[in-house]
Amino acid sequence: MKVNVYVTLKTGVLDPQGKAIHHALEGLGFAGVSDVRAGRFIELEVADDVTDADLDAMCAKLLANTVIENYRIERP
Amino acid sequence: MKTAVIVFPGSNCDRDMAVALETVTGRAPAMVWHRETALPDGTDFIALPGGFSYGDYLRSGAMAARSPILRAVADAAARGVPVLGVCNGFQVLTEAGLLPGALMRNAGLNFVCRTVSLKVENSQSLFTAAYQAGETIDIPVAHHDGNYFADAATLDRIEGEGRVAFRYLDGVNGSARDIAGVLGDAGNVLGMMPHPERAIDRAHGGTDGLRLFEAALGVLA
């Protein structure tokens, strides 16, 4: 089964990469973008008996650094 | 004094660290591969070197922090064995939860590679006892992810506990409160982005890093 994990920076954590992407978009002439935040998308292929608690532990222990990042698990 | 340098795939300052430890102790350190599950018996100083362990995959230091040897390092740290993490080693220590905070991409997005001035904030720790509080020392940095972050409550707490060891005199990478080096809650773990092992010989252009090793390794004249 496919599981999607979205890792994003917590609000309040400055995102220099997002800021650089924002500047680049402006440089390309795209108007109307007020902010950019960059994150990480991870696709997992897991066995059916992997529980939500297992997935949560994977995120908390490795996939996200909860000091600076939030994560969201999407299990279709 | 039995010292150990932990070597990860992608470490590249492990030999500089080994030279520093041997110069100060007169004895070559054990080079311990990340797949090991135990440190050599009687190890009484551990260094996590700089580099790009596991190619900085996922996050800098993230993979190394979950490698088998880190459990042994954490156990040793809990017993009071001094642990020094430099640059990638600092990133590994924060990722492993042995130090608070996290090291993010430099605020200016550039890799910063130059000698910087640091203010010694705490001269009471086992690593910094040979410096004067408030003294300025010059130590090289070379990193892309050295932007220290912790939430305000954590910053207040570590400042209040005297756990900021070093601070950049001039903004280098956007670090919160210009923090360059942080001590663990028991004082025997130090993580720092600047490389003291690159400032131990006059041929390096400066020797301000030498006293850190002399103090930590107990060989102060």
Side-chain angles (χ1 to χ4, degrees), chain A residues 25-41:
Chain A
L25 287 172
E26 287 175 336
L28 290 170
F30 292 107
V33 179
S34 59
D35 194 25
V36 177
R37 308 275 287 168
R40 183 181 290 113
F41 169 65

Side-chain angles (χ1 to χ4, degrees), chain B residues 84-85 90 99 118-129 131-137 148 158-168 177-184 187 189-194 212:
Chain B
L84 170 66
F90 186 11
L99 289 174
L118 305 176
K119 182 180 172 199
V120 178
E121 289 289 345
N122 175 339
S123 62
Q124 305 296 310
S125 80
L126 69 93
F127 301 94
T128 57
Y131 299 115
Q132 305 293 317
E135 181 180 352
T136 299
I137 59 173
Y148 185 74
I158 62 176
E159 297 241 32
E161 293 170 353
R163 288 166 54 190
V164 175
F166 303 105
R167 219 184 289 273
Y168 303 109
R177 303 187 193 178
D178 286 324
I179 289 170
V182 174
L183 292 156
V189 178
L190 171 65
M192 58 191 294
M193 289 312 296
L212 186 149

Side-chain angles (χ1 to χ4, degrees), chain A residues 7 11 15-16 18 20-21 26 32 34-36 39 52-53 55-56 59-60 62 66 69:
Chain A
V7 181
T11 37
D15 179 10
I21 295 166
E26 287 175 336
S34 59
D35 194 25
V36 177
D52 287 351
L55 290 169
D56 197 68
C59 290
L62 178 62
T66 55
E69 294 169 329

Side-chain angles (χ1 to χ4, degrees), chain B residues 5-65:
Chain B
V5 177
I6 311 299
V7 184
F8 303 100
S11 292
N12 65 8
C13 302
D14 44 327
R15 290 198 287 179
D16 291 7
M17 185 64 80
V19 168
L21 296 177
E22 183 166 4
T23 299
V24 172
T25 65
R27 186 170 171 182
M31 305 303 280
V32 181
W33 185 235
H34 68 121
R35 298 290 293 274
E36 300 288 336
T37 53
L39 293 154
D41 282 343
T43 297
D44 39 23
F45 183 94
I46 302 163
L48 303 184
F52 298 87
S53 56
Y54 299 83
D56 281 349
Y57 287 174
L58 193 63
R59 297 175 304 273
S60 298
M63 300 309 204

